[in-house]
């Protein structure tokens, strides 16, 4: 009962570390903030999320594909992309304890001010005007300076060759564009997705599993003809759909048609926003009240984005609305930059209605942080009840399809249970066998990690060739013939 005094975040973290969902990386040597391991169960949830993402977004268009790339890239890539110059966060340091803080976060936390887009001098002035001190030791804070968040590494024996760990997966499709455009028969729109690791030297990776230094992004870069930004072949399918939008400090539901006509948001952009919303509400089954798009103004937007809506989820463990992804209209910023920097033609020539058009494609980016989304699932589906805690994950996200228990460890029950367990395992289900402790405790252990189905072999099973199937959420039990298990589990799996 001592547990009940813990915060929701602590409760989830306790379960996550104890049960093999996530835990600090290199833990036995004392881990570093911002580096985490996905354990055996966490990897299953992450992979399920990634597969749902892959299946959903790559099926939006027959010309969308996935690629995979190195995470270490030459310096020139980031000179051309602008990251070497602009991928910075404001830093302030305590003169006494030398702890470093992200100045914007510190000011936001301490003064509750919205300080997006302020430069070094303005941030320093705010610190001085409000006499802000180091939150750790009350020492004086140094002037704010910008700090580049990329990790550099020395490559080769001489150590002269400096390369960089990619800070976003997006650069890979831009560098691959020329080859893929040729290989896929020169058609636009062309979508190139990457699910992969990226690295950012975050100044203060606080908030547990939310701000990491090594993390995974799932991003889809869609290359298209800028003349066609206000069209989409499936516009009619989405034009009457309402999007949940937070703007001007208000939450609104606005149809795509209205957003297009009144706010001049292009149809190509809106079509994909609708699909992002559908992914969250229908595929991941996130409750509608916990999802919204938030429009970013010019000061808040990344330097390359023309239109930018963040995907936000309301997460109790993190104190409210948090960014889980974004929909970014990056124009020709990236291909243009790489064309110039690499001296390689990245513009395309397209024959349309007997007219030859030559242009640099524009990019619409759908960007998601996988780890933040995994944490969001833990936050959103976690429940505390009188006798138990549970994750009420939709089946398609639950790490285990079914747990199998013999009611007692005698009278042939373990033999039957093991047979059922192995049969399901061979059929491709993720199953877990547990024969220790009371049946009630075994149910609780499965509830705690979100297993939807628990199968118990009891004395009636011997005569009837059946099992009881107990549902995690309702705790109701039904009897099912062993021969029908595969079909039943498949039905509830999706
Ligand atoms: P933030 O404002 O939180 O630093 P960002 O706007 O810099 O994030 P993007 O560059 O748009 O993030 O990256 C795309 C996605 O990658 C984000 O929406 C988020 O889900 C994820 N992401 C970004 N930084 C981190 C991080 N340090 N740890 C985990 N995920 C991250």
């Amino acid at each position: 009962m001592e547990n009940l005094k813990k915060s929701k975040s602590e409760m989830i973290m306790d379960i996550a570390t104890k049960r093999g969902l996530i835990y600090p990386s290199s833990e036995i040597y004392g881990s570093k903030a911002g580096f985490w391991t996905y354990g055996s169960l966490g990897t299953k949830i992450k992979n399920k999320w990634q597969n749902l993402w892959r299946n959903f977004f790559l099926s939006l268009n027959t010309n969308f594909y996935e690629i995979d790339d190195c995470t270490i890239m030459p310096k020139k890539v980031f000179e051309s992309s602008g990251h070497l110059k602009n991928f910075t966060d404001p830093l302030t340091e305590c003169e006494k304890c030398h702890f470093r803080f992200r100045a914007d976060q510190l000011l936001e936390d301490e003064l509750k001010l919205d300080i997006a887009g302020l430069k070094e001098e303005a941030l320093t002035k705010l610190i001085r005007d409000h006499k802000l001190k180091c939150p750790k030791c009350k020492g004086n804070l140094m002037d704010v300076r910008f700090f580049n968040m990329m990790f550099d590494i020395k490559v080769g024996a001489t150590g002269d060759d400096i390369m960089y760990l990619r800070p976003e997966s997006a650069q890979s499709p831009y560098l691959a564009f020329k080859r893929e455009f040729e290989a896929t028969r020169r058609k636009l729109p062309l979508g190139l997705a990457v699910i992969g690791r990226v690295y950012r030297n975050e100044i203060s990776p606080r908030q547990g599993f939310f701000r990491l230094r090594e993390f995974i992004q799932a991003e889809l870069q869609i290359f298209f003809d800028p003349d066609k930004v206000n069209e989409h072949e499936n516009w009619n399918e989405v034009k009457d759909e309402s999007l949940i939008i937070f703007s001007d400090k208000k939450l609104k539901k606005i149809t795509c048609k209205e957003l297009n006509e009144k706010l001049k948001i292009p149809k190509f952009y809106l079509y994909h926003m609708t699909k992002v919303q559908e992914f969250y509400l229908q595929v991941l089954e996130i409750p509608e009240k916990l999802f919204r798009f938030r429009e970013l103004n010019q000061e808040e937007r990344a330097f390359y984005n023309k239109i930018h809506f963040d995907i936000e989820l309301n997460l109790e463990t993190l104190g409210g609305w948090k960014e889980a992804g974004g929909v970014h209209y990056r124009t020709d910023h990236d291909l243009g930059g790489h064309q110039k920097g690499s001296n390689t033609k990245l513009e395309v020539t397209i024959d349309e209605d007997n007219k030859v058009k030559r242009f640099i494609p524009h990019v619409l980016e759908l960007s998601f942080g996988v780890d933040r989304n995994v944490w969001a699932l833990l936050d959103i589906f976690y429940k505390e009840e009188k006798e138990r805690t549970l994750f009420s994950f939709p089946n398609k996200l639950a790490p285990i399809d079914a747990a199998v228990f013999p009611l007692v460890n005698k009278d042939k029950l373990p033999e039957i249970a093991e047979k059922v367990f192995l049969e399901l395992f061979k059929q491709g289900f993720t199953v877990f066998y547990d024969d220790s402790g009371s049946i009630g405790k075994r149910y609780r252990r499965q509830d705690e990690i979100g297993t939807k189905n628990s199968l118990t072999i009891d004395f009636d099973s011997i005569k009837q060739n059946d099992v009881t199937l107990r549902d995690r959420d309702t705790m109701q039990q039904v009897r099912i013939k062993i021969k029908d298990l595969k079909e039943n589990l498949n039905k509830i799996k999706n």
Side-chain angles (χ1 to χ4, degrees):
M1 286 301 104
E2 190 200 321
N3 271 350
L4 288 181
K5 280 184 236 130
K6 291 188 176 173
S7 69
K8 177 173 171 180
S9 180
E10 288 166 333
M11 288 292 287
I12 295 177
M13 211 33 119
D14 279 358
I15 297 167
T17 49
K18 189 175 82 196
R19 302 299 305 274
L21 289 155
I22 50 168
Y23 36 85
S25 178
S26 310
E27 203 176 5
I28 59 170
Y29 287 103
S31 46
K32 272 251 172 240
F35 297 97
W36 289 79
T37 300
Y38 279 98
S40 48
L41 286 182
T43 301
K44 286 188 196 299
I45 301 176
K46 170 179 75 68
N47 288 348
K48 285 195 167 187
W49 188 96
Q50 289 180 173
N51 282 334
L52 290 171
W53 186 90
R54 191 177 263 129
N55 292 340
F56 184 83
F57 286 102
L58 291 186
S59 63
L60 292 183
N61 188 309
T62 52
N63 207 33
F64 286 4
Y65 311 92
E66 184 175 355
I67 62 167
D68 196 4
D69 194 17
C70 297
T71 56
I72 302 176
M73 295 179 162
K75 184 173 181 184
K76 278 191 171 304
V77 170
F78 302 107
E79 273 169 8
S80 303
S81 69
H83 283 85
L84 264 184
K85 196 159 155 239
N86 296 314
F87 199 62
T88 53
D89 267 343
L91 169 90
T92 179
E93 186 176 330
C94 171
E95 282 176 0
K96 204 160 118 201
C97 71
H98 293 286
F99 200 86
R100 293 173 162 198
F101 301 90
R102 242 181 88 170
D104 54 341
Q105 280 172 358
L106 185 69
L107 284 160
E108 268 170 14
D109 289 352
E110 301 287 318
L111 307 175
K112 309 282 171 252
L113 292 178
D114 183 9
I115 37 95
L118 291 191
K119 299 267 171 294
E120 289 106 313
E121 299 76 29
L123 292 168
T124 304
K125 187 167 181 312
L126 275 175
I127 290 181
R128 304 282 171 254
D129 288 354
H130 289 88
K131 300 194 170 46
L132 267 193
K133 299 281 174 198
C134 167
K136 290 200 172 279
C137 74
K138 302 286 166 236
N140 288 329
L141 294 168
M142 295 183 195
D143 285 359
V144 175
R145 64 192 162 87
F146 276 92
F147 166 80
N148 193 295
M149 289 197 289
M150 279 195 299
F151 286 102
D152 55 0
I153 55 166
K154 293 178 186 154
V155 175
T158 60
D160 293 340
D161 199 0
I162 302 292
M163 292 178 78
Y164 287 85
L165 291 172
R166 64 179 182 196
E168 57 172 16
S169 76
Q171 294 307 318
S172 294
Y174 306 147
L175 302 175
F177 173 73
K178 190 177 161 65
R179 285 217 179 263
E180 292 296 337
F181 184 67
E182 296 298 332
T184 57
R185 312 296 307 140
R186 314 179 124 257
K187 278 194 304 248
L188 292 180
L190 166 65
L192 296 177
V194 173
I195 300 181
R197 291 194 170 260
V198 306
Y199 304 82
R200 294 184 187 180
N201 197 0
E202 296 279 357
I203 296 167
S204 43
R206 28 175 222 171
Q207 295 184 316
F209 199 63
F210 187 74
R211 188 166 294 287
L212 313 182
R213 285 174 165 142
E214 172 170 349
F215 58 100
I216 306 170
Q217 286 183 325
E219 296 190 306
L220 173 63
Q221 312 298 322
I222 309 169
F223 303 87
F224 65 97
D225 177 350
D227 286 346
K228 298 187 176 170
V229 67
N230 203 29
E231 51 190 87
H232 191 282
E233 56 181 357
N234 297 325
W235 170 249
N236 279 340
E237 251 176 46
V238 302
K239 68 178 192 316
D240 298 317
E241 297 275 330
S242 291
L243 295 176
I244 306 167
I245 304 246
F246 183 76
S247 80
D248 300 331
K249 304 201 170 133
K250 277 190 225 99
L251 197 64
K252 306 166 198 168
K253 272 185 148 188
I254 317 180
T255 64
C256 286
K257 198 161 173 280
E258 243 185 299
L259 285 163
N260 180 248
E261 285 167 6
K262 296 206 183 121
L263 300 179
K264 305 289 172 229
I265 302 177
K267 290 179 183 170
F268 195 76
Y269 189 97
L270 287 168
Y271 173 81
H272 291 96
M273 267 180 104
T274 314
K275 293 296 153 186
V276 168
Q277 181 170 300
E278 193 179 314
F279 177 66
Y280 277 92
L281 303 190
Q282 275 149 47
V283 179
L284 300 178
E285 299 181 38
I286 302 292
E288 199 178 296
K289 63 176 192 303
L290 302 181
F291 171 92
R292 73 182 188 188
F293 287 110
R294 185 172 75 86
E295 186 171 20
L296 272 68
N297 60 37
Q298 207 171 349
E299 283 74 49
E300 293 174 305
R301 291 202 288 265
F303 56 96
Y304 43 74
N305 283 332
K306 188 166 164 189
I307 309 177
H308 182 160
F309 281 84
D310 271 348
I311 302 157
E312 293 193 333
L313 299 172
N314 194 350
L315 303 178
E316 204 185 325
T317 53
L318 296 168
W321 292 98
K322 293 287 165 192
E323 174 185 338
V327 182
H328 311 139
Y329 181 12
R330 295 176 70 132
T331 66
D332 60 359
H333 167 81
D334 301 276
L335 287 188
H338 288 307
Q339 171 162 292
K340 204 161 149 232
S342 67
N343 245 331
T344 309
K345 270 217 171 346
L346 296 178
E347 60 184 22
V348 300
T349 310
I350 285 194
D351 216 341
E352 210 173 67
D353 306 329
N354 291 329
K355 266 195 274 158
V356 176
K357 273 174 73 177
R358 185 170 298 174
F359 59 92
I360 296 182
H362 277 202
V363 169
L364 175 68
E365 172 184 62
L366 311 183
S367 173
F368 303 77
V370 175
D371 319 85
R372 284 190 185 176
N373 277 279
V374 168
W375 180 262
L377 297 177
L378 301 183
D379 176 300
I380 289 168
F381 293 112
Y382 175 78
K383 291 205 175 90
E384 276 175 22
E385 291 177 1
K386 209 163 148 218
E387 299 280 322
R388 60 175 188 160
T389 69
L390 66 151
F391 287 113
S392 61
F393 297 129
N395 269 322
K396 55 194 160 197
L397 286 161
I400 290 176
D401 295 323
V404 182
F405 315 136
L407 182 64
V408 289
N409 277 320
K410 56 180 188 185
D411 297 335
K412 284 215 176 119
L413 299 192
E415 283 94 319
I416 304 174
E418 270 171 41
K419 212 168 146 222
V420 168
F421 168 74
L422 281 174
E423 204 49 44
L424 291 173
F425 179 74
K426 280 191 219 142
Q427 285 162 354
F429 291 102
T430 310
V431 276
F432 187 82
Y433 188 85
D434 191 0
D435 60 4
S436 72
S438 72
I439 200 78
K441 279 208 182 110
R442 282 182 261 170
Y443 284 147
R444 302 283 175 270
R445 284 203 290 265
Q446 292 308 314
D447 294 342
E448 194 181 51
I449 53 169
T451 307
K452 175 88 166 147
N453 310 294
S454 292
L455 311 176
T456 304
I457 285 73
D458 59 16
F459 292 106
D460 288 340
S461 305
I462 303 174
K463 283 174 268 145
Q464 294 171 201
N465 283 321
D466 64 1
V467 303
T468 62
L469 185 152
R470 180 255 196 194
D471 177 83
R472 174 198 64 208
D473 301 324
T474 61
M475 296 196 271
Q476 299 288 321
Q477 302 189 12
V478 288
R479 294 203 78 90
I480 299 207
K481 291 284 178 209
I482 292 176
K483 69 174 173 42
D484 297 333
L485 271 177
K486 181 178 175 188
E487 197 191 326
N488 274 275
L489 288 179
N490 266 333
K491 246 189 259 159
I492 41 189
K493 203 172 167 185
N494 297 311

